[in-house]
Amino acid sequence: MTVIPFYTSTREYAARKAEFDAAVQGVMARGDFILGSEVAELEKECAAYLGAKYAVGVASGSDALVLGADILGFRDGAEVLTPTFTFFASTSCVARLDGKPILVDQDPETLEMDLKDAERRMTKRTAGIIPVHLFNQATPMQRVMDLARKHGLKVLEDAAEAFGMDCQVDGRWKKAGTIAEIGIYSFFPTKTLGGYGDSGLMVTDDEELYRKIKSYRVHGSSVKYHHDYIGYNSRLDTMQAAILRVKLARVDEAIAARARLAARYAERLAAVPGLRFPKVAEGNRPVWYVFNILAPKRDELAAFLKEKGIGSSIYYPIPLHLQKCFAYLGHKKGDFPVAERTCAEILALPIFPELRDDEVDYVCDQVTAFYRG
Ligand SMILES: Cc1ncc(COP(=O)(O)O)c(C=O)c1O
């Protein structure tokens, strides 16, 4: 039977085994496991790739959000605008610091945060915005930064999914994640630049913020056992850094492979009745971290694909305003209609650089067969 995983790292590892093995063995030979030389090298290479002044490796994208929220003051009653349709960590970072997440609906076409809705929900207590660049494109950052300037807000860019994406701001193309005061990335294995375990990155152009981030990741100290802040233990593991450097060297090839596969999906699924696709807004050069469709009878389709050996995934089945832990925010079903509809229809199809064209064709044939009956 044909089996097409939603995601696998095993093909990549098999193809570049010698490089990955040498990288990991190098760390073991040196024994510099905590903030070793590979971490500093990865930080330099990421900063150069992204066009950011400073990059700091941390333990995960989720930790990066908590450190960023803490440093920017998104805590203790501060209201922070953040989408209801996103991964949990984009919002929990504020909630866990006793800040107040102000949830915002999404644009029905692009699925990014609806900035008109965001502006409507601003109050005197609004301190910041966490735009989340979802799936393949950035939240319109020109408008986010204009809003932030107009209302004196801080911005923490959740670019966990957005490594390599470009967007236009102030007439220039910039990497998503490098526009606001602080941007964060996740190196979760499925990501465009994904490790073989957890890790993440924070970037900034501001030297003072950079020093604070570096200090926060080691318990708020810049000199051992001298603590200026109550920080965290959140360091990017040296082994992961070594693996990520192998992958960063070819990340543009991986991005190009994803683009080719996405174009193949789009072309082959274009005529399937009832299917819709999120639109890429102008001012973006997308990176296809995920290929999503908006599918009628989504759960039946996913079950049908599973029967045919095809993996798929739902990002995200429940919007954050309907999560049990956020009941205290006082929302109910119907409050964010666009996000609720998206959660019922969205389905991610397999996409990773080593996926073959014939596998994409098989997936498309099965999706077509499902709808054509
Ligand atoms: C939008 C978004 N924010 C935050 C995260 C958290 O990153 P991590 O899994 O590295 O903690 C993820 C990914 O999982 C994500 O997709």
Side-chain angles (χ1 to χ4, degrees), residues 23 45 59 72 75 84 87 114 122 128 161-162 205 234 238 240 244 259 262 284 305 316 321 324-325 338:
E45 289 164 3
L72 292 180
R75 54 178 141 76
T84 188
F87 182 64
D114 176 346
M122 279 186 190
E161 302 181 1
D205 282 347
S234 184
T238 307
Q240 291 305 326
L244 286 162
N284 278 288
L305 294 178
Y316 301 94
H321 67 280
K324 193 168 156 191
C325 69
V338 182

Side-chain angles (χ1 to χ4, degrees), residues 18-298:
E19 284 175 81
F20 285 116
D21 288 355
V24 169
Q25 282 164 14
V27 177
M28 290 195 282
R30 280 190 302 280
D32 59 347
F33 303 118
I34 305 298
L35 293 182
S37 58
E38 299 273 9
V39 176
E41 290 304 317
L42 177 73
E43 289 170 344
K44 259 191 254 158
E45 289 164 3
C46 282
Y49 180 87
L50 296 166
K53 266 200 190 148
Y54 307 105
V56 182
V58 293
S60 67
S62 301
D63 270 15
L65 283 165
V66 176
L67 267 71
D70 199 347
I71 290 168
L72 292 180
F74 294 176
R75 54 178 141 76
D76 305 324
E79 293 187 0
V80 180
L81 298 154
T82 166
T84 188
F85 181 84
T86 179
F87 182 64
F88 178 69
S90 319
T91 299
S92 62
C93 62
V94 175
R96 86 160 34 258
L97 296 166
D98 292 328
K100 185 169 183 202
I102 302 295
L103 298 176
V104 175
D105 212 343
Q106 66 181 159
D107 181 283
E109 306 266 282
T110 63
L111 310 185
E112 303 303 314
M113 192 194 237
D114 176 346
L115 294 171
K116 280 207 189 106
D117 190 39
E119 196 164 11
R120 273 196 296 273
R121 291 174 193 275
M122 279 186 190
T123 72
K124 284 198 207 100
R125 289 175 301 281
T126 308
I129 312 180
I130 302 183
V132 186
H133 308 315
L134 286 173
F135 308 128
N136 60 4
Q137 64 189 308
T139 307
M141 282 307 289
Q142 183 72 61
R143 287 173 57 204
V144 170
M145 297 314 287
D146 289 347
L147 266 186
R149 283 176 199 134
K150 185 168 151 198
H151 298 277
L153 312 178
K154 300 250 167 68
V155 181
L156 171 60
E157 266 183 282
D158 183 345
E161 302 181 1
F163 198 90
M165 290 177 198
D166 295 288
C167 58
Q168 260 182 328
V169 178
D170 295 333
R172 289 200 303 141
W173 286 99
K174 296 195 79 178
K175 290 281 181 225
T178 66
I179 297 149
E181 283 90 334
I182 296 176
I184 73 94
Y185 300 87
S186 163
F187 297 139
F188 185 81
T190 56
K191 297 289 194 268
T192 304
L193 178 63
Y196 289 175
D198 275 315
S199 56
L201 190 80
M202 302 177 71
V203 296
T204 184
D205 282 347
D206 181 307
E207 191 178 347
E208 206 180 314
L209 289 176
Y210 165 64
R211 290 189 191 289
K212 226 167 169 181
I213 294 167
K214 272 187 87 166
S215 161
Y216 267 53
R217 80 170 163 183
V218 283
H219 292 298
S221 73
S222 45
V223 177
K224 204 170 182 184
Y225 302 132
H226 294 250
H227 301 276
D228 302 322
Y229 312 102
I230 300 173
Y232 301 80
N233 174 13
S234 184
R235 300 172 289 227
L236 191 148
D237 189 272
T238 307
M239 214 78 93
Q240 291 305 326
I243 289 163
L244 286 162
R245 289 187 69 209
V246 171
K247 295 186 66 164
L248 180 61
R250 299 227 200 127
V251 76
D252 284 334
E253 280 171 45
I255 287 171
R258 285 173 180 274
R260 211 174 39 73
L261 295 166
R264 198 171 182 97
Y265 270 127
E267 189 195 321
R268 279 163 200 254
L269 294 176
V272 177
L275 272 196
R276 292 184 301 121
F277 304 89
K279 287 209 177 110
V280 177
E282 270 187 37
N284 278 288
R285 291 188 190 130
V287 169
W288 296 89
Y289 161 55
V290 168
F291 188 86
N292 274 314
I293 56 175
L294 294 162
K297 294 195 274 172
R298 188 268 318 274

